[in-house]
Each structure stands twice: as structure tokens, then as C-alpha cells.
Amino acid sequence: MKILISNDDGYLAPGIVALAEALMPFAEITVVAPDSNRSGTSNALTLDRPLSVQRAANGFYFVNGTPSDCVHIALTAIMTERPDLIVSGVNQGQNMGDDTLYSGTVAAATEGYLFGIPAIAFSQVNKGWQHLDAAAAVAAELVLRGFPELPSPYLLNVNIPNLPRSDIKGIRRARLGKRHSSEPVIPMRDPHGRDIYWIGPPGGVLDGGEGTDFDVTSKNYVSVTPLQVDLTNTRQLDMLAMNIQ
């Protein structure tokens, strides 16, 4: 089995190292990840400058670009054979609800999906890397399990509670929840007295009802959410038929 691994925390992040080590015993892995943290870059591709690729002592490739850049370059320039699966993560912190629209972790998986390759994004619910070994073990279990019931390619978003493996109750399917609007930006001044702004934290949970990823993980289960790229509002498309042919 050939697996491409990427992330948005950077090639030195503990999450990607743990994931690679967990998959290495049963897969031929290639790791291509950003040279530094690129969280929140969504599906951005770098088009205003050339990108460089370097290789670390551990064999990981790193790119001075976004997670989507990394997967794109891996598939079209680095790998000589098409991988069977693309995995992204393990991310430091949850990618649930509206987070998936901004997430570089999910974006790396999405880029592979757009190339017609099954892809899974893995994240821990809380930051800090607590019980990362358990998260990597869960990721390996899901990769080995496979998803033969799903049409290929599939795109899955997985969130794993920061718990010992023995305390994780199991794995459940979940729909995306929804957050309130983001908190306001944080205004500051730079050393020259100019106004600068930090993007504020994400909003709190608006829809964390039964069956959402927020609900499932709060009950100490791993959440698995199938995603799709088609953003068409089919209901409104039908409504437009009244006036637009």
C-alpha cells in the first residue's frame, strides 16, 4: 500500500511524525509537508512565486508553500507512482463544523481527493498533543480498516479525542456541526505605531446537537464525517428555474 502523508502544522510537527511511524509498518509512505505552520490556509495554491522542495534527514520532503501545494507537487512531481491513499495530520486541534472550510489539514486531503485519490484528514480534538500515540493508533486502525462501503474516491474528516486508547469508546459517523460567527479581530499597534490586527478565535458551538462531530467527540468517540466538494445549493438551483432557464 502506497500512502502520501501531509499536514498543515509543518514537517517537524509531532503529529505528522507520529502518523508516519504508525503507518510505516504496513505501508510505503511518502511525506511531503509545509516547511512551517500553515494552519488556516484552506485550499490555497501558491501562484505568485515558484516553490522549492527540500528533503530532511528523516526522508520527509518539505515545501515553502501551503498544504495544497505540498500534495499537488507530491502527485505531479515527486512521486513516480500514484498513491493508494492520502492522509493528512495528525493536526493539533479539532477541525469540526465550519472549521473544515478554513482547515489546511482538510485542504491537503481535499487536494488528493480532487486528483481522484481516497483521502482522510485526522485531527485531535484539543491542542497540546496529549495522547498523540492513541490518535496515531486510531488513524492506523482506520487506514487498515479501509472503507469499501464508500465509492472511491472518498474524502473523510476524522476527529479524535485526546484520550488514552483504552478510554476512547469507539468510532461513530457524524455530520458537521456549526459554530457561531468568529470573535472580532484583536487590534494592536506595531513598533512604528501602525494599526495591526490579529484574527480572533473561532466562535462557540451553535449546533452541537446529537449526531454532530461536536456531540460525538464530547462523548469520547472518534467522529468520522464524509465530506463533499460540490457546494451547489440544489434547492436554490430549483428555485432559480422559475426565472432563469
Side-chain angles (χ1 to χ4, degrees), residues 191-229:
H192 302 285
R194 295 172 297 199
D195 291 333
I196 56 175
Y197 301 91
W198 286 97
I199 296 296
V205 177
L206 174 63
D207 176 11
E210 186 174 356
T212 63
D213 42 13
F214 294 113
D215 170 60
V216 166
T217 55
S218 73
K219 295 173 180 175
N220 297 340
Y221 288 88
V222 175
S223 69
V224 178
T225 304
L227 303 178
Q228 63 182 9
V229 175

Side-chain angles (χ1 to χ4, degrees), residues 43-121:
N43 297 88
L45 288 172
T46 301
L47 304 178
D48 61 343
R49 59 180 173 83
L51 297 167
S52 64
V53 180
Q54 299 182 65
R55 198 166 191 182
N58 63 358
F60 291 6
Y61 294 92
F62 57 96
V63 180
N64 62 335
T66 67
S68 294
D69 289 332
C70 293
V71 174
H72 196 94
I73 288 175
L75 295 177
T76 61
I78 295 176
M79 303 184 74
T80 57
E81 294 183 63
R82 183 182 176 92
D84 302 298
L85 179 70
I86 293 173
V87 296
S88 181
V90 174
N91 189 63
Q92 181 179 205
Q94 62 188 251
N95 281 303
M96 298 193 287
D98 304 332
D99 303 340
T100 56
L101 293 173
Y102 302 99
S103 168
T105 305
V106 175
T110 302
E111 186 69 14
Y113 172 80
L114 292 174
F115 274 85
I117 301 170
I120 310 175

Side-chain angles (χ1 to χ4, degrees), residues 7 9-21 89-90 92 129 132 136:
N7 74 349
D9 289 322
Y11 77 104
L12 294 174
I16 200 169
V17 174
L19 183 58
E21 290 177 349
V90 174
Q92 181 179 205
W129 306 117
L132 179 58

